[in-house]
């Protein structure tokens, strides 16, 4: 994929945020109270939160909820399909080095089915639908902090619902901890400390990014400054991608990430080696993604410059997922064709004889159409032997894939 939906925006070399502060969009919000919050179900696709929305009374569309983004964004192709009014030109970058061009959107809003009285403006149209292949479903847009800041947003990964509380009357009485944040162009920034294996804790500023499907990413200037990629650190080559294309780096582990009083042991960690893009930023230490955030029920209370973390029943579970070594993308009208996009050397996938471009047509005798990309990826995170039927050009092959822990 998309291991991140992490979007930063630029106009003529400067952050787009400043260009939009003078805009005339008006946000309309529906009422919510602490006693009667608005409850919205969501779907998880490769650890990304998918909400159903409508844009100007369109058919239901799939938008990702992302704290790593500020504005509501719609895919450029979808905007043209819906005949939205577009104007001006912008460029998009993110994790990875590439930039993409898009447009401002005028006189357009999105609504959430069942959320009566709610609408907010759609601000940008960008070519993001290509990331659908990494999610395994239609990816029509992104909702960011312009939405979140109007409420206290309670996010529960276990029940797969968000609750929107009135930000003016909300009072928290649970067992969690309140952690201060700063909003930087809509992104929640918090102070945390990371402890390298065999080292001492290092404090830094991190963006809390539920739009990242990863656990912890340390940005390349931070990695270089603290010499975190030592010869004694066991790593594998990173083979993920972000909004700006493929990501360069190594994946290994750190001893601990500390958020407030909470200690997350041995998180899988990307040590970025990017030279450009978000993961090459010197202003932050790194990015805390969904694999860590999902260990909590989280309250995003931007109006009081805080988040509240409340551990859930998965908090103590270790990061012990197996790795297949094959990064898959979903293709076809229903996203049920699973092609190997990238192959990691010296991995279970390469040892099984798989190649880039191979199509997995069946797993343990079940046709690929019986799976989603999310369910296939979750399956391959379990250490077991899987009997694969693989299409390679005109050939049909039978192989055994045995994912295992590599780091």
């Amino acid at each position: 994929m998309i291991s991140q939906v992490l979007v930063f925006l630029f106009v003529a070399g400067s952050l787009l945020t400043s260009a939009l502060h003078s805009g005339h969009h008006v946000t309309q919000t529906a009422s919510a109270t602490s006693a009667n919050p608005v409850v919205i179900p969501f779907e998880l696709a490769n650890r990304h939160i998918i909400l159903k929305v409508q844009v100007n009374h369109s058919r239901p569309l799939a938008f990702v909820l992302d704290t790593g983004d500020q504005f509501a964004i719609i895919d450029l192709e979808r905007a043209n399909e819906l005949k939205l009014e577009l104007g001006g030109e912008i460029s998009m970058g993110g994790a990875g080095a590439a930039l993409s061009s898009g447009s401002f959107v005028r006189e357009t809003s999105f609504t959430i089915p069942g959320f009566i009285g709610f609408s907010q403006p759609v601000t940008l149209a960008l070519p993001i639908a290509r990331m659908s292949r990494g999610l395994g479903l239609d990816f029509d847009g992104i909702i960011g902090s312009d939405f979140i800041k109007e409420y206290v947003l309670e996010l529960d990964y276990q029940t797969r619902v968000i609750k929107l509380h009135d930000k003016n009357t909300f009072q928290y009485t649970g067992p969690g901890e309140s952690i201060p944040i700063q909003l930087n162009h809509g992104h929640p920034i918090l102070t945390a400390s990371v402890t390298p294996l065999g080292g001492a804790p290092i404090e830094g500023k991190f963006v809390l990014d539920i739009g990242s499907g990863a656990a912890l990413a340390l940005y390349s200037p931070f990695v270089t400054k603290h010499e975190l990629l030592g010869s004694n650190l066991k790593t594998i080559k990173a083979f993920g991608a972000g909004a700006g294309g493929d990501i360069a780096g190594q994946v290994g582990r750190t001893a601990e990430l500390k958020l407030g009083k909470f200690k997350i042991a041995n998180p899988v960690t990307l040590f970025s080696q990017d030279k450009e893009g978000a993961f090459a930023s010197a202003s932050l230490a790194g990015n805390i993604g969904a694999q860590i955030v999902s260990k909590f029920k989280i309250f995003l209370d931007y109006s009081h410059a805080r988040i509240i973390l409340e551990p859930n029943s998965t908090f103590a579970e270790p990061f012990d997922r197996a790795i297949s070594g094959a990064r898959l993308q979903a293709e076809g009208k229903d996203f049920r064709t699973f092609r190997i996009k990238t192959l990691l050397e010296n991995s279970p996938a390469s040892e099984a004889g798989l190649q880039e471009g191979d199509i997995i047509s069946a797993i343990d005798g079940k046709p690929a159409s019986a799976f989603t990309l999310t369910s296939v990826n979750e399956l391959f995170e379990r250490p077991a032997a899987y009997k694969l039927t693989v299409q390679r050009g005109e050939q049909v092959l039978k192989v055994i894939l045995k994912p295992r822990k590599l780091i």
Side-chain angles (χ1 to χ4, degrees):
M1 143 161 156
I2 199 172
S3 65
Q4 341 281 331
V5 181
L6 179 64
V7 178
F8 295 88
L9 301 159
F10 301 84
V11 176
S14 60
L15 277 166
L16 176 65
T17 307
S18 59
L20 289 180
H21 280 167
S22 61
H24 60 272
H25 285 310
V26 177
T27 297
Q28 298 177 352
T29 58
S31 62
T33 68
S34 292
N36 297 291
V38 175
V39 180
I40 302 172
F42 65 81
E43 178 183 355
L44 274 179
N46 282 340
R47 302 187 180 93
H48 293 80
I49 295 168
I50 309 296
L51 301 178
K52 291 298 183 183
V53 311
Q54 292 176 285
V55 174
N56 287 1
H57 308 290
S58 70
R59 59 180 173 79
L61 303 175
F63 275 45
V64 169
L65 180 68
D66 183 9
T67 54
D69 168 63
Q70 181 169 359
F71 311 104
I73 301 169
I74 189 169
D75 171 59
L76 185 59
E77 182 178 336
R78 195 69 65 239
N80 288 324
E81 173 196 316
L82 298 175
K83 296 180 171 30
L84 303 184
E85 184 180 352
L86 306 179
E89 185 174 329
I90 58 175
S91 293
M92 175 193 79
L99 294 175
S100 299
S101 296
S103 299
F104 292 95
V105 181
R106 298 170 177 162
E107 305 301 326
T108 298
S109 61
F110 76 92
T111 56
I112 298 175
F115 192 178
I116 298 172
F118 167 84
S119 73
Q120 282 189 343
V122 177
T123 305
L124 306 169
L126 295 163
I128 55 177
R130 65 185 183 279
M131 291 188 255
S132 296
R133 292 173 291 183
L135 286 176
L137 45 71
D138 284 319
F139 173 38
D140 301 305
I142 303 172
I143 301 170
S145 66
D146 278 358
F147 170 71
I148 297 169
K149 71 181 182 182
E150 297 299 326
Y151 307 93
V152 175
L153 189 151
E154 176 184 346
L155 170 58
D156 191 332
Y157 281 89
Q158 292 188 302
T159 61
R160 299 194 181 185
V161 298
I162 62 174
K163 295 180 181 179
L164 304 177
H165 301 270
D166 185 335
K167 65 183 180 181
N168 297 314
T169 60
F170 176 78
Q171 293 185 343
Y172 180 75
T173 58
E177 181 181 9
S178 177
I179 296 177
I181 62 169
Q182 296 176 324
L183 290 178
N184 182 10
H185 303 296
H187 308 145
I189 309 298
L190 54 82
T191 299
S193 68
V194 61
T195 304
L197 294 174
I202 307 169
E203 189 173 275
K205 299 288 187 181
F206 293 79
V207 59
L208 187 82
D209 185 10
I210 64 173
S212 164
L216 176 65
L218 301 178
Y219 294 172
S220 51
F222 184 82
V223 171
T224 300
K225 178 181 178 180
H226 297 287
E227 300 179 340
L228 299 182
L229 275 176
S231 58
N232 60 337
L233 181 65
K234 183 178 181 181
T235 64
I236 60 175
K237 183 180 178 181
F239 61 118
D246 289 344
I247 295 168
Q250 298 291 316
V251 177
R253 290 182 183 268
T254 45
E256 182 180 273
L257 175 71
K258 189 170 184 287
L259 298 170
K261 67 181 180 182
F262 301 113
K263 299 178 179 179
I264 294 95
N266 300 118
V268 174
T269 302
L270 167 69
F271 299 87
S272 173
Q273 295 174 305
D274 277 353
K275 304 299 182 185
E276 298 179 84
F279 282 12
S281 170
S283 62
L284 294 172
N287 179 295
I288 299 169
Q291 289 186 41
I292 288 174
V293 178
S294 62
K295 289 178 172 290
F296 300 89
K297 180 188 288 185
I298 182 170
F299 296 79
L300 302 173
D301 187 1
Y302 289 1
S303 63
H304 295 97
R306 66 174 180 168
I307 62 168
I308 301 169
L309 298 178
E310 185 179 306
N312 61 31
S313 62
T314 70
F315 179 78
E317 293 180 0
F319 294 89
D320 60 355
R321 299 181 179 95
I323 295 174
S324 71
R327 178 159 66 99
L328 304 178
Q329 68 178 22
E331 301 176 353
K333 185 178 180 180
D334 58 357
F335 296 101
R336 298 301 175 98
T337 299
F338 306 120
R339 185 185 300 275
I340 297 177
K341 172 67 173 176
T342 310
L343 202 67
L344 183 66
E345 293 182 1
N346 302 315
S347 69
S350 63
E351 292 162 5
L354 293 170
Q355 298 180 9
E356 292 181 2
D358 284 351
I359 294 174
I360 298 174
S361 57
I363 304 172
D364 290 338
K366 295 181 180 179
S369 58
F371 298 89
T372 64
L373 182 61
T374 297
S375 65
V376 172
N377 285 337
E378 289 175 348
L379 195 67
F380 290 171
E381 288 178 348
R382 303 169 195 160
Y386 301 101
K387 300 176 182 178
L388 306 185
T389 303
V390 174
Q391 186 79 34
R392 182 181 298 163
E394 300 299 320
Q395 293 180 282
V396 177
L397 308 172
K398 303 287 187 180
V399 303
I400 303 295
L401 176 66
K402 298 179 180 180
R404 66 178 185 274
K405 287 179 63 174
L406 297 181
I407 52 174

